């Protein structure tokens, strides 16, 4: 699996261990999209935070049909551990991001693995929210740009969950941010979500952002949610580029020791 890592100067010189921010990209993307399009690196350098951007799926696994559908297979892992054939032997992105990748980064680079946060876009925003709530206390904060928030109910989710996880919708809830937030009982989790109101996937109900917001406000007593609707913005990386500084500043607070409160 390919990934990129950005290290600020203090980590490159090994003069100070730095916190790590993981970014999960969306459908059809790879490990390069965020680094080349989001404009994040100057802000990460200023804050002395490392950035890790993994690929969005395994590639060239030999699975029949892997390249046939842009919403399933290559570039479309949905960050789950597949339980169904033919995907289960290779499509284990949840475990890869949470365990294998983070262990590799911790062992290979001058970073502080006790200070970790995560964010993402679209499918990657879904992945970031799921990883943060399924691993209470591991991530200091989580944020998302236009995340897929209720995949058990949206076309971006049901199709993939059926293929990767099978027909039992109880298994789907393990990878559904809206369902997870209803039962989240870990340490207070700071959450930032930005959504554009001109996003075509928002208007066609592929994202269902409001479902997560309502569930968090109703059930998520341990989630400190800041949700912003951005007038005129779509689903593109121009949207991410506009608000990337806000997200990095948000994570920097908690990675540098600010305690999460309500």
């Amino acid at each position: 699996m390919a990934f990129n890592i950005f290290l600020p100067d203090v980590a490159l010189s090994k003069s100070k261990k730095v916190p790590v921010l993981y970014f999960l990209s969306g459908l059809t993307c790879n490990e390069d999209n965020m680094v080349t399009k989001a404009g994040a690196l100057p802000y990460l350098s200023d804050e002395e935070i490392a950035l890790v951007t993994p690929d969005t799926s395994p590639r060239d696994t030999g699975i029949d049909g892997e390249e046939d559908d842009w919403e399933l297979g290559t570039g479309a892992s949905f960050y789950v551990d597949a339980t169904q054939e033919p995907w289960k032997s290779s499509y284990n992105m949840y475990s890869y991001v949470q365990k294998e990748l983070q262990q590799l980064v911790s062992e290979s680079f001058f970073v502080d693995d006790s200070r970790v946060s995560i964010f993402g876009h679209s499918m990657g925003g879904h992945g970031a929210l799921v990883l943060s709530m399924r691993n209470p206390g591991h991530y200091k904060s989580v944020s998302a740009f236009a995340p897929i928030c209720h995949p058990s109910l949206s076309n971006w989710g049901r199709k993939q969950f059926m293929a990767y996880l099978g027909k039992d919708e109880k298994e789907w809830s393990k990878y559904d941010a809206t369902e997870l937030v209803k039962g989240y009982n870990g340490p207070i989790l700071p959450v930032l979500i930005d959504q554009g109101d001109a996003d075509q996937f928002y208007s066609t109900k592929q994202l269902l952002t409001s479902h997560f917001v309502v569930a968090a406000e109703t059930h998520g007593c341990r989630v400190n949610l800041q949700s912003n609707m951005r007038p005129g913005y779509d689903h593109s990386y121009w949207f991410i580029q506009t608000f990337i500084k806000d997200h990095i500043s948000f994570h920097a607070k908690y990675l540098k020791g600010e305690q999460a409160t309500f």
Side-chain angles (χ1 to χ4, degrees):
M1 291 287 296
F3 69 93
N4 289 313
I5 184 165
F6 165 80
L7 293 171
D9 288 343
V10 290
L12 286 171
S13 65
K14 296 188 176 180
S15 60
K16 182 169 72 173
K17 285 193 172 185
V18 297
V20 189
L21 187 52
Y22 288 83
F23 183 87
L24 306 183
S25 288
L27 285 161
T28 76
C29 293
N30 59 33
E31 70 277 10
D32 294 332
N33 292 76
M34 194 276 189
V35 174
T36 59
K37 294 181 178 181
L41 302 190
Y43 306 122
L44 292 161
S45 180
D46 290 344
E47 296 286 2
E48 296 185 343
I49 296 172
L51 173 72
V52 177
T53 62
D55 201 350
T56 52
S57 76
R59 295 183 186 267
D60 302 315
T61 66
I63 293 173
D64 187 39
E66 184 179 32
E67 304 283 346
D68 293 350
D69 184 346
W70 69 276
E71 294 180 322
L72 187 70
T74 300
S77 71
F78 268 71
Y79 300 100
V80 304
D81 283 349
T83 60
Q84 304 299 301
E85 297 290 356
W87 310 103
K88 68 180 184 179
S89 62
S90 300
Y91 278 68
N92 297 290
M93 287 294 291
Y94 175 87
S95 291
Y96 169 71
V97 173
Q98 181 62 30
K99 298 176 183 177
E100 182 180 342
L101 176 61
Q102 294 192 37
Q103 182 178 350
L104 178 61
V105 169
S106 175
E107 292 174 351
S108 304
F109 302 99
F110 209 66
V111 298
D112 181 353
D113 61 9
S114 71
R115 294 185 291 154
V116 178
S117 290
I118 193 166
F119 64 153
H121 172 227
S122 192
M123 177 186 74
H126 141 76
L129 291 169
V130 167
L131 280 156
S132 66
M133 287 185 287
R134 284 188 57 179
N135 297 277
H138 181 79
Y139 298 98
K140 301 296 185 183
S141 52
V142 58
S143 73
F145 298 93
I148 300 170
C149 285
H150 206 173
S152 295
L153 293 186
S154 66
N155 289 333
W156 268 357
R158 292 188 63 84
K159 167 183 173 179
Q160 293 82 2
F161 284 4
M162 183 71 73
Y164 295 141
L165 303 174
K167 296 179 180 180
D168 185 356
E169 296 192 13
K170 291 181 181 178
E171 292 300 306
W172 300 6
S173 64
K174 297 177 183 178
Y175 298 99
D176 188 314
T178 296
E179 300 305 318
L180 288 169
V181 77
K182 294 175 184 178
Y184 178 77
N185 195 34
I188 296 173
L189 179 64
V191 181
L192 170 63
I193 293 177
D194 273 302
Q195 174 63 60
D197 71 357
D199 184 330
Q200 69 186 93
F201 303 113
Y202 175 76
S203 60
T204 55
K205 303 187 185 304
Q206 299 285 70
L207 307 177
L208 300 178
T209 319
S210 62
H211 290 206
F212 180 84
V213 173
V214 170
E217 292 176 348
T218 305
H219 302 279
C221 60
R222 303 294 293 171
V223 170
N224 184 355
L225 174 63
Q226 177 185 339
S227 178
N228 303 309
M229 182 61 71
R230 303 296 189 177
Y233 283 92
D234 60 13
H235 203 71
S236 72
Y237 264 86
W238 297 115
F239 166 53
I240 297 175
Q241 191 176 101
T242 302
F243 299 106
I244 191 68
K245 182 179 180 181
D246 294 348
H247 282 244
I248 291 170
S249 297
F250 168 79
H251 291 295
K253 288 191 302 182
Y254 301 106
L255 288 169
K256 294 180 178 182
E258 182 169 319
Q259 296 299 307
T261 60
F262 289 111

